[in-house]
Amino acid sequence: MRNARTLTTLVAIATLLLAGVVPATADEDGANADANGGDANATDEANDDTGPIEIRQRVRDTDRPTPDVQLHGSGWGHGVGMSQYGAYAMALAGHDVAEILTHYYPGTEVTTDTAASDERIRVGIAINQSSSQVRALDGDVAWRICTPSGDLPSDGRVSADDCETWFEQAANERLRVRPLPTDGGGAPTIEDADGEVVLDPDGDDAEPAPAGGLLIEREAGGGWEPVRGYAADAGGPLPIARVEHGDDRIEAQSYASPQRHYAFGWRDLHLAGSADAPDRQSLTVVQDVGSVEAYLRGLAEVPNSWASGALEAQAITGRTFALRAGRGGGCRCDLLATAADQVFIGESKVEDGQGERWAAAVADTQDQVLTYEGELAQTYYSSSHGGRSENIEDSWAYDTDEVPYLRSVDDPWSLESSVGDVTIRNTRRDWTAAADNQAMAGFLSAGRSTPIATVERIAVRSRTDGGTPRELDVVGRTADGQRESFTTDLSATYGKGIAGAAMRRSLELVEGGEDNGRLSSSQIDRFGFEPFVDDDGSIHELAIVWAYDAGIVRGVGGDRFAPTRSVTRGQLASFLVNTFELPVPTPTGRFDDAPVGETHTANIEALVEAGLASGYDDTTFGPGDPVTRAQMASLLAAALDLPSAEHRFGDVDAGSPHADNIAAIAEAGITSGCASDAFCPLDPVQRGQLSTLLLRMVHS
C-alpha cells in the first residue's frame, strides 16, 4: 500500500480532475491556455483535505496476472494447395473440376495418365504394434510366410518368390498376430524355415526361439488359443506374415482403433525389431493395394455427401498425390493411412452411407491427374484456409523451395458458411485455442540470452502472404521480474523462412486445437488474453486483465472492452471508487446530469460525500466529459510520488499546472508521449491507458 503522503497527494489530484479545477493560470476570460489541458468552466473547488484513503483489499491482493495466451485463427491444416472446404463451396457455386483445381494450383492442368491404374500402393497402417487382428469376411484367406532374400527395401516390398504357403483362414474366423512370447508360454510347436522343431512347449525344455518369431492365435471362448507359430532364423531377416485376400474383404486393424474392411490386395504384418532382442520385437502393419484406383476407393478425405465436383477434385488430387508417393522408412510403405499423407480406410469408405457417390467420383475421373509442364504436380491439400492459401516455402515443407503452382491465392471459399441453401459445417472456419503463459514465453524466447518467464503482450509485426504470423513483437518478464521487449522471427525456427511450421509443430496447447494438442492451423489472426477480444495485442492488455480481475473495470458488453475509448469523468469516478475504500451512499440525484439510476451516479455522489469532488456547479457534474492526458499525467506522477524533471515536449507549456508531472512520468520511462516531441496533453485518456495507470499505481 502507498504511504499516507502519496495517497493524500493522489486524492488532491483526483479532486482537481473531478471538479474540473486547475491551479490559477487562467487567461483574463477564465479560459486556460490550450496546452494546459484544464477545463475552462470550473467554478466550484472541492475539499482536498480528506486525509489518506486506503486501496481496497481485493485490489491490493490481485497480483499481476499470468493468463493463458489465447490464439484466435482460421483454417485447418498446413494451408498449402487446395482447400477441401473451399473446393466444396466452389462446387456448390457451380465451378467445375478444372476451375477448382487451377484456382488452387495456378498454371496446372488436368491430364490423363493411363499407367496410373497399374501402380500398386503400400499403405502404412501402424507401427510398433503388440498385436494385430484379421477376420476373413467373404471366404477362406491364404496366409503366407515371407522372408526377404536380401535386404528389405525401404518400401517393404517383398517378392512372392520369397513367400511360401503357411495355412488357410476360414471365413468369419478371427485371428490375432503377435510376436512370439519371450518365455515360450502359450505357444504351439514352433518350426524354423526348414521345418525343424525349435520350440516344443509340451517338452521338458520349453524355451523361446532364440531369434524371436510370429505367433498366430484364434479367437475362441472369449479368449485366444494358439494356431501357428514361426521362428525367425538367427542372423537372418525377420519374417513377414502375409494375408492374401485378393478381391475378397477382410476386417482388420485401421490406423485408428476401429476395425475396417479392406480388399484388392494383401496385408503384410512385418516382425520388426532385431533378432538379437526378441523381447523387444513388434509388428509393422501394411495394406498392399493392387492399384491406385483401388486405393482411391478407400480414401476417406471428404464426406461422401459433398457435391460431385468437390468429390472429383479430391479424387484427382488424391490420385496425383499417391502416384508421387515414396515415404519408405520405418513404415515399410509408400504412404501412411493418416492425415500425414492421406486418410485411408479401405472398402469401409464405399460401404458407408452414400459411398456409391465417392466410388462414382473415382470411376468418373479414372487415370486423371494434375500436371505442371508435363510432370505430376505436388498436390498438397488441407481441410481449409484462413482466407488465403500459403506459399509452400512459408509453410511446413522444410526442404522445399518455391514451387510455381504452390503459391498463395485468395480463398474466400474456405470461409463460407453456406452456399445457396446448403450449410457448410466447417468447425475450424474460426477457432480459438489457448497455450500456457509460461510455455508460450519459453517458446517465443527460446535461444535468447535473457529468456522471459511470462508473456505480457504479443503483437503481430509481419505475416506471410497467406496470413501466418512471421514476426512477433513480444513483451514479457524474466524470472527475476525484469521487463523485456523483443521481436522474434518465427521463420528462423527451422532455418528456411518457414513461419507456418513453428507454432504448429512445437507449441503445446492447454485448450482447443487438435487431438495431438497442436494448433488447427498456422493462420493466427491475433494473440491475447481473456476475457476481452478487442484488446488483443494492445500494450495495455495485461493491465486490463488485472483491472478486470481486481473488480475495477468492466467491459462495454459481451467480450468487448473498448480500450481506445475515452474515459469520462463519470467513469473515472467509478474506477476510483472501485479502487479505494470509499463508502457508496444511496444516490439522491443531486446533479441534474447524473440522475438516480444512471451507471455512475452512486459513485459520483460517493466522491462528493467523501469531499473528493464537486461538480461544475450545484447542478452540473459533466459525467460524460473526457479526462485528458495531461490530467492523467498529474494523477500518475502524484500516485508514484515522482520527482520533477526537465520539460521535453514541445506541445506542453512550461507554465501549465500539469507540465512538471508530464515531464516526471516521461523521465521515469512511463510514457514517451504521442510522438517524438509531443505529448498531446489535451487528448483524452483512453480506457486501456487508465488500466495501466491503475496497475502501476498499485504494483509499481
Side-chain angles (χ1 to χ4, degrees), residues 149-195:
S149 55
D151 292 337
L152 183 68
S154 62
D155 60 12
R157 280 179 164 80
V158 175
S159 170
D161 295 337
D162 293 332
C163 301
E164 58 185 59
T165 300
W166 196 9
F167 66 93
E168 293 286 323
Q169 178 181 6
N172 207 41
E173 183 179 41
R174 186 183 299 278
L175 300 179
R176 182 174 73 175
V177 188
R178 63 188 177 108
L180 194 66
T182 57
D183 61 0
T189 299
I190 304 298
E191 299 177 349
D192 63 16
D194 297 324

Side-chain angles (χ1 to χ4, degrees), residues 246-543:
D247 292 349
D248 288 340
R249 297 172 305 147
I250 60 171
E251 181 182 76
Q253 180 179 356
S254 175
Y255 73 94
S257 55
Q259 301 280 296
R260 302 285 190 180
H261 295 175
Y262 298 89
F264 307 113
W266 62 72
R267 174 158 293 216
D268 281 347
L269 300 121
H270 292 255
L271 183 62
S274 170
D276 296 331
D279 58 331
R280 294 198 295 272
Q281 290 172 352
S282 62
L283 296 177
T284 294
V285 184
V286 179
Q287 186 69 31
D288 194 302
V289 187
S291 70
V292 171
E293 299 305 315
Y295 162 77
L296 285 173
R297 287 171 56 87
L299 197 63
E301 281 285 346
V302 294
N304 295 332
S305 60
W306 276 16
S308 297
L311 297 181
E312 292 177 6
Q314 180 63 68
I316 294 172
T317 55
R319 181 181 292 110
T320 309
F321 187 95
L323 288 170
R324 287 182 58 101
R327 177 174 285 272
C331 76
R332 309 285 196 266
C333 66
D334 297 316
L335 42 72
L336 297 173
T338 70
D341 287 323
Q342 300 190 114
V343 176
F344 174 78
I345 62 171
E347 286 297 284
S348 293
K349 171 63 174 175
V350 295
E351 292 171 355
D352 286 347
Q354 302 187 60
E356 71 282 353
R357 301 187 74 251
W358 173 247
V362 172
D364 291 345
T365 62
Q366 181 171 343
D367 296 337
Q368 292 182 16
V369 293
L370 199 67
T371 60
Y372 180 79
E373 295 183 348
E375 300 292 333
L376 289 174
Q378 294 177 334
T379 51
Y380 299 126
Y381 58 87
S382 59
S383 179
S384 65
H385 305 150
R388 283 188 69 88
S389 66
E390 293 283 359
N391 297 320
I392 189 170
E393 67 274 13
D394 289 331
S395 187
W396 50 273
Y398 310 129
D399 298 318
T400 300
D401 294 323
E402 292 186 10
V403 179
Y405 52 87
L406 294 178
R407 315 311 303 151
S408 178
V409 299
D410 283 329
D411 185 26
W413 303 103
S414 276
L415 304 180
E416 294 290 343
S417 59
S418 63
V419 176
D421 59 354
V422 178
T423 299
I424 299 176
R425 293 179 174 85
N426 177 8
T427 59
R428 305 304 203 287
R429 184 172 52 251
D430 298 297
W431 51 259
T432 300
D436 176 77
N437 190 292
Q438 288 83 358
M440 178 66 85
F443 171 81
L444 294 176
S445 61
R448 291 182 56 82
S449 58
T450 54
I452 57 173
T454 59
V455 174
E456 294 190 349
R457 176 189 181 232
I458 303 173
V460 179
R461 175 182 284 264
S462 66
R463 297 180 180 272
T464 65
D465 291 344
T468 291
R470 186 186 296 280
E471 295 177 301
L472 300 176
D473 290 332
V474 181
V475 178
R477 291 185 184 268
T478 62
D480 60 0
Q482 297 301 307
R483 202 162 186 259
E484 289 283 334
S485 301
F486 58 92
T487 298
T488 184
D489 185 356
L490 297 178
S491 302
T493 305
Y494 294 101
K496 282 183 58 65
I498 304 163
M503 283 198 171
R504 288 197 72 214
R505 186 180 178 91
S506 302
L507 183 64
E508 295 186 6
L509 304 175
V510 296
E511 183 180 348
E514 302 304 299
D515 292 340
N516 62 2
R518 297 292 192 265
L519 289 170
S520 297
S521 80
S522 63
Q523 293 169 314
I524 303 165
D525 297 331
R526 63 188 189 276
F527 302 85
F529 306 130
E530 289 185 333
F532 305 112
V533 300
D534 59 346
D535 60 347
D536 291 349
S538 165
I539 61 175
H540 306 292
E541 185 174 12
L542 191 76

Side-chain angles (χ1 to χ4, degrees), residues 236-250:
L238 295 178
I240 302 161
R242 176 168 291 181
V243 186
E244 290 189 342
H245 52 83
D247 292 349
D248 288 340
R249 297 172 305 147
I250 60 171

Side-chain angles (χ1 to χ4, degrees), residues 68-109:
D68 290 343
V69 179
Q70 304 293 313
L71 301 95
H72 306 263
S74 301
W76 191 358
H78 53 65
V80 177
M82 185 181 75
S83 156
Q84 292 167 309
Y85 274 102
Y88 179 33
M90 290 186 72
L92 290 173
H95 293 276
D96 63 26
V97 174
E99 290 173 330
I100 294 171
L101 294 177
T102 55
H103 172 71
Y104 289 109
Y105 308 99
T108 62
E109 60 179 338

